[in-house]
Every structure is written in structure tokens, then in C-alpha cells.
Amino acid sequence: MRTFHETDIRKRTLGVGLALAVWFAVLLLRLVQLQVVEHPTLRSRATKQSQARVPVHASRGDIRDRNGRVLASSLPVYTVKLSPVEKETPAQEADKVRRLQAALGLTAKETADILLSLKENDSFTYVRKQVPPEAAERVRALKLAGVGFDEESRRFYPNGPLAAHVLGGVNADGSRQAGVEARYNDVLKGVDGVELMFKDNKKRGYLSQVLKPPLPGRSITLTIDATIQYIVERALAGAVADHSASSGTAIVMNPATGEILALANWPTYDANHYTDAQDAWLDRAVGSTYEPGSTFKIVAAAAALETGVVSYADVFDCSSGTIKVGPLTISDHERMGVLTFPEVLIRSSNVGTVKFASRLAAPDLYAMIRRFGFGTRTGIDLPAEEPGLVRPVAQWNKVVSQPHIAIGYEVGVTPLQVLRAMNVYATGGRLVRPRVFLSFAGEPPAPLVGPRPDDRVLEAGLVAGLVGRVFEKVVEEGTAKFGRLDEFWAAGKTGTAQKLDPVLKAYTARSHTASFVGFVPARRPLLSMIVVLDDIKEGEYYGGQACAPVFRDIARQVLRYLGVVPERAPLERPLTAELRKGGRA
């Protein structure tokens, strides 16, 4: 018979065994939960804590001018990071940050923010981004524990503001671009790679492995010529300063191919500081519209001749200097007497233009405007191009609109649209699509795209007549005398338009837009060009006096740079007082 003592021991043994069995069962169930049920989740969590997939940014492709000169490239830069070091005292940590401050030129606020971040963050804190290689080397030479580097790239424009509105710009993280940088971003940016980073329990990286190497972006070549661009920018800046204009635009194109050789705006900016230049971002050449004034007469003249409502022998009495159109009085800049049709255009008579345009049917004028490409985008490969404003005939005022439109009001155009319209005369009647992309670097030029280069707007005979009888003489003896080149024949048209006062909702004689558009040499055009100055405050505000000289100076320098042989002997007679009377429209 068992004693009480034996019975007690047996009960205790069974109790301990049962407790151990329960414990083992719970442990087994927990192991099953961790190793089987929750294994995928826990494994993913552990991987995230010890590993990280980090993008490796691809190097952005270069942008070059047509002669191979680099306009934009990507340079290596570094992000400097600082991680906490085990057993390092706050004093040692502060001393390390002060040494970084000296090496990188950190401000007192930046230094204080880094120290605060180190206290609050057990992984790492950024010291400075976009650090150039030489500064990164200074930091490496300090051999400070916990300091790490991420290699990246920064967009660099070696010529500063040169061709800024063509190139556009890229902000620090590459998320926003403008100009060519935006239009060809998919080509330039390349494909990012992937790097696997292994981290310790302090979330500090100790090993990395490239899983997918980055694919660099492709380099592209533009139609821009950096030398011509410099000539144009310098001349435009001088003209804006001389006339205290609010803004200015100048474009130089190869009329036969539509290749843009230079495109400049003022105000401009340094593309290296793109994000700081918001006030100057607007590319007025393609993204801003204006009422062109007398340069638009190139369209009305073509419509009148093609429909046969006028001939070169027709005469118009402009002696009054004004003409009444409904409630409006349209004036000339001076009284001109009786003028032939060519003389109306050569001297840019508003009165004469209104008289010959009144013979046109409104649908014929509208159709010609559309044929010249107004009211639609030119298709240039730059972002944010405006289509302009051309209202359908049904929306025209039956009394005022047609004469107003004939002299360049009630329409909104971009400088590039006007230049392309004048190119119709430079190409013998064809409408060519402008472009800034020439090719991928090292490859032959890309074929022309979009509208065919032989799209015909006017017959060659009509074009030749207007060029020879009108647009050459505009430069030789008309309103663009100051645009005359001694060595070459040039052709073009001046424009001066009063601006609409948004407060008064009326045109004001206190604010004007002046312009000149033309091409040279007139009989074998190599260059076409437009110059626009807006809101001139000093000096003459007429296109012939403010803009035609800019055309002359640019054309002379560019033709010399291109080595074009002069086609006529220099003019020997001095500039007379009679000559100075020109250039008013």
C-alpha cells in the first residue's frame, strides 16, 4: 500500500509532466505558426529590415549642337550621409559634424538640423545632396566613421544661359523638365538600374550588390548652332536694352529644311539654375501670342493676288492718311499719296491695305490665313507650343474684322508662326515644319516628319512676283531700310502693332509690339529670321527702326560665319537723311 508521501510525489510528477506537455504543445503550435502560417510574412519583414532595393539612376544623355558642341551633359555628384556609430559619445558626434561643416561649407542651421536628426533617427541622416566630386573627396580624406556616399548625377550646362529656352532645364531630382529636356526626356533619361543593399541591425549599409545595371540615356544632336545662337542672343539682348523693351524674341531658321539654327528670348536664364528662374521660363517664340501688325500683310497680299481682286498695276489713293471703317479710324504713320499695289506693301500703308483687302471675300482671306498655318501649331518639337487665335468667319464683325485682320489685328500669332509664314516666300511657296532635333549623336540626320516639305501654299510665280516686286524693295527702299545688307539682297516685312490695354479694353498708342521678318539672300535664301520686341519704352517703336537693324546685324555676322560669298558690292554712298525717313512700319 502506497504511503501518503509516495502518492504526493506521483501527483506532483504528473502535474509537472502535464505542464511540460502543455508547454511543449504551445511551443509547437507557436513554431507551426511562425514557421508555417506566418513564415512568408515574417520572412518578408526580415528581408525588408536587412535588405533594401535601391534604384541606381541612369546617366542622362548629352545634348549637342549641330557641330558636336556639348550644350548639356550629366556630371557625377554625391549625396553625403551620416549614420550613428555605436558607443560614440554626443561630444564625438558633434565634433564629427563640425568637421563635415568645414569640409562642405554647411551653414550653422544645417549643422544644427543634422545633429537633431541624428538624435531622433537611429539609421542615417542626409548631410548634403548634389555634392561635387572635389568636395566629396575632401570628406573622404577625413576618414570619419559613419559617413557614407551615394553616387548620382547632376545636369550641367557648360554655356550657362546659351539656348536656355531650347534646352529648358531639369530640376535637382529630374522630376520636372522643360524645353528639349522635356520633349526628349524618354530618350535622354535612360533606364534606372537596381542595387541590393544589405543592412545591419542599426539599418546601416555594409554590403551592396548590383542586380540590374543602369542603361545610360541616348545623346542627341540639335539643329541649333551654338555660334549662331550666341550671335542672336547678344544682338537681341542689346536691342532689348537699347529700347527698354519688356521682352524680345529672335529666331533664325534654315527655310528649306525647317531646321532652327538659333532661338532666343529675353528675359532669359541660366539653365544650371533652372528651378530658380521661374519668371523667365516662358518660351515666347512658341508659347506666347501677340497681334502681329503689318507683318500679317504678307497673307492679305497673297490672298488678293491669288483671287485676282488686285494686280500689281492697281493704284490706291492713300493721300488722306486715314480711312473710316465703321466706328474705327485706321491711320497710316504718314500721308503717302497715291500708291500702286506694291508700294502699298513697300511703304506699309494701312489705308491702302484696307482698300485692297475690302475687295476680298471674307472666306477667301480666312482660307489663306489657314493655308499659311495660322491658328494651328507648327509642329515644332518643343513643348507648350500655342496654336494662336484665328476666329472662324462666322465670328467676325461684318464691318470691322476683315480690314482689321488684314493689317494684323484680331488674330493671335506666335513669332514662329510668322517666321514659317514668311518661309513660304523663301521656299517658293512651300510650308515647312520647323524642328530642333537633328539626330541621335553619331548618327545621320533624322528624316523630316509631319507635313511634307513640299506642301504647297502658293504657286511659285505668285511668290516670285511678291518677293521681287515687294519684299526685296521693303528692305531696299521701304520701311525696312535699316535692315539692308550691303553685301546681300534681303527680303522681308516690318510690323508695328498697338497693344490692347487690358484695363481700358482699347488699343493704346503708348504701348507697341515691333517686329521684322525676312530672309537672306533674297534670291537663294539660306537664312530666314524674325525679330520681335515687345512694349518698347525708349527710342523708335517702329519695326523698321527697332527690329530691322537687329536682323541686319545678325544676318551679316551669320553669313560671314558660314562663309557665304557676298553677291553684290558694298554700298558706297553714306546713309542720308532721306534714307532715315524709312523704317516706320
Side-chain angles (χ1 to χ4, degrees):
M1 183 174 183
R2 294 177 181 174
T3 66
F4 175 80
H5 179 70
E6 290 176 334
T7 302
D8 184 59
I9 291 175
R10 182 177 178 83
K11 287 181 178 179
R12 290 185 180 185
T13 302
L14 289 174
V16 170
L18 182 61
L20 288 173
V22 171
W23 183 80
F24 275 116
V26 171
L27 181 63
L28 181 61
L29 288 173
R30 180 60 175 163
L31 287 174
V32 170
Q33 180 187 22
L34 295 176
Q35 296 293 330
V36 179
V37 179
E38 296 184 6
H39 176 73
T41 302
L42 296 175
R43 181 177 181 180
S44 175
R45 187 182 302 171
T47 300
K48 288 181 180 179
Q49 291 175 346
S50 62
Q51 300 176 16
R53 289 176 178 260
V54 180
V56 182
H57 297 294
S59 177
R60 199 170 177 85
D62 290 348
I63 301 175
R64 301 174 180 270
D65 86 334
R66 64 187 305 113
N67 299 312
R69 182 173 175 178
V70 176
L71 300 176
S73 64
S74 292
L75 299 180
V77 292
Y78 299 86
T79 293
V80 181
K81 302 182 297 183
L82 181 59
S83 300
V85 176
E86 193 174 358
K87 297 181 180 180
E88 192 172 62
T89 67
Q92 290 172 323
E93 201 169 64
D95 178 68
K96 182 164 54 180
V97 173
R98 281 193 293 270
R99 297 179 69 183
L100 288 172
Q101 179 184 22
L104 295 173
L106 302 175
T107 65
K109 184 180 184 306
E110 287 174 320
T111 303
D113 289 343
I114 292 169
L115 289 170
L116 180 62
S117 179
L118 286 171
K119 290 178 182 178
E120 297 176 347
N121 192 339
D122 63 354
S123 57
F124 71 89
T125 186
Y126 288 112
V127 176
R128 174 164 285 180
K129 298 182 179 181
Q130 299 281 305
V131 174
E134 59 273 15
E137 284 303 317
R138 289 199 302 270
V139 175
R140 282 195 178 95
L142 297 175
K143 298 181 179 179
L144 300 173
V147 174
F149 301 86
D150 287 340
E151 184 173 350
E152 299 174 342
S153 64
R154 177 177 67 86
R155 205 58 168 161
F156 176 62
Y157 302 89
N159 304 297
L162 190 77
H165 288 97
V166 176
L167 300 172
V170 180
N171 66 348
D173 63 5
S175 63
R176 184 176 63 218
Q177 309 90 23
V180 167
E181 295 277 24
R183 175 63 178 78
Y184 291 100
N185 182 55
D186 290 344
V187 172
L188 292 164
K189 71 179 181 180
V191 180
D192 289 347
V194 179
E195 182 179 31
L196 182 62
M197 180 71 70
F198 296 91
K199 300 179 289 184
D200 62 15
N201 62 345
K202 295 289 187 180
K203 299 182 181 180
R204 294 173 295 191
Y206 64 89
L207 182 66
S208 65
Q209 177 184 357
V210 176
L211 301 179
K212 176 186 174 184
L215 182 64
R218 298 187 71 179
S219 296
I220 63 174
T221 299
L222 302 184
T223 61
I224 297 294
D225 186 307
T227 300
I228 299 176
Q229 181 73 30
Y230 172 75
I231 292 170
V232 171
E233 288 187 9
R234 185 176 60 178
L236 179 64
V240 170
D242 289 345
H243 296 280
S244 296
S246 297
S247 62
T249 296
I251 312 171
V252 178
M253 183 190 293
N254 179 331
T257 64
E259 295 173 5
I260 302 294
L261 303 177
L263 184 154
N265 293 282
W266 186 268
T268 188
Y269 61 93
D270 186 338
N272 290 299
H273 306 291
Y274 166 69
T275 53
D276 301 326
Q278 297 181 12
D279 293 342
W281 280 351
L282 179 60
D283 182 357
R284 290 174 168 80
V286 301
S288 181
T289 61
Y290 67 105
E291 290 180 302
S294 293
T295 55
F296 208 69
K297 293 172 183 176
I298 65 176
V299 180
L305 284 172
E306 184 180 71
T307 56
V309 298
V310 298
S311 69
Y312 290 109
D314 288 353
V315 294
F316 301 89
D317 184 3
C318 306
S319 56
S320 65
T322 63
I323 186 171
K324 192 76 172 175
V325 179
L328 298 178
T329 299
I330 295 176
S331 304
D332 283 333
H333 57 271
E334 62 181 5
R335 293 194 177 190
M336 301 181 191
V338 177
L339 304 177
T340 63
F341 173 73
E343 288 172 337
V344 167
L345 298 169
I346 293 167
R347 300 186 64 180
S348 202
S349 169
N350 289 334
V351 173
T353 303
V354 169
K355 287 187 173 184
F356 77 68
S358 66
R359 301 180 183 180
L360 279 165
D364 290 337
L365 177 58
Y366 175 79
M368 186 60 73
I369 292 170
R370 301 291 292 185
R371 279 164 57 182
F372 268 87
F374 292 104
T376 58
R377 294 176 177 88
T378 67
I380 190 172
D381 45 343
L382 287 174
E385 183 183 14
E386 286 289 328
L389 175 64
V390 176
R391 292 180 292 112
V393 175
Q395 297 179 17
W396 291 12
N397 181 289
K398 294 182 179 180
V399 177
V400 173
S401 289
Q402 183 164 327
H404 236 196
I405 290 170
I407 61 173
Y409 290 90
E410 292 191 34
V411 290
V413 303
T414 66
L416 185 61
Q417 287 177 325
V418 177
L419 178 58
R420 186 168 77 142
M422 179 54 84
N423 276 348
V424 169
Y425 294 100
T427 59
R430 296 178 289 116
L431 192 67
V432 179
R433 179 178 180 175
R435 61 172 181 167
V436 295
F437 177 83
L438 184 62
S439 68
F440 290 108
E443 297 183 8
L448 295 174
V449 294
R452 297 189 309 276
D454 60 347
D455 281 352
R456 183 158 294 282
V457 176
L458 300 173
E459 291 302 319
L462 188 153
V463 169
L466 274 170
V467 172
R469 300 190 189 195
V470 176
F471 300 135
E472 279 189 25
K473 289 182 170 57
V474 168
V475 177
E476 289 296 312
E477 58 190 58
T479 55
K481 289 176 182 177
F482 293 134
R484 184 186 190 279
L485 284 83
D486 291 346
E487 305 89 346
F488 298 93
W489 299 97
K493 185 71 189 75
T494 56
T496 308
Q498 292 183 356
K499 297 190 68 174
L500 188 68
D501 188 313
V503 177
L504 300 176
K505 296 183 179 180
Y507 291 97
T508 173
R510 295 189 299 272
S511 184
H512 299 81
T513 300
S515 61
F516 176 80
V517 61
F519 50 89
V520 63
R523 299 165 193 179
R524 49 185 183 92
L526 299 176
L527 307 172
S528 60
M529 188 189 322
I530 186 169
V531 179
V532 182
L533 296 177
D534 185 44
D535 194 15
I536 292 174
K537 300 178 182 65
E538 291 185 13
E540 293 286 356
Y541 55 78
Y542 294 105
Q545 295 178 329
C547 298
V550 184
F551 168 90
R552 176 199 64 209
D553 294 343
I554 292 173
R556 180 178 292 146
Q557 294 178 71
V558 172
L559 290 169
R560 186 179 299 131
Y561 160 70
L562 295 176
V564 181
V565 178
E567 60 184 1
R568 65 178 182 177
L571 184 68
E572 295 181 358
R573 62 185 175 86
L575 195 64
T576 63
E578 179 64 28
L579 184 59
R580 292 186 181 275
K581 291 180 181 178
R584 289 295 184 90

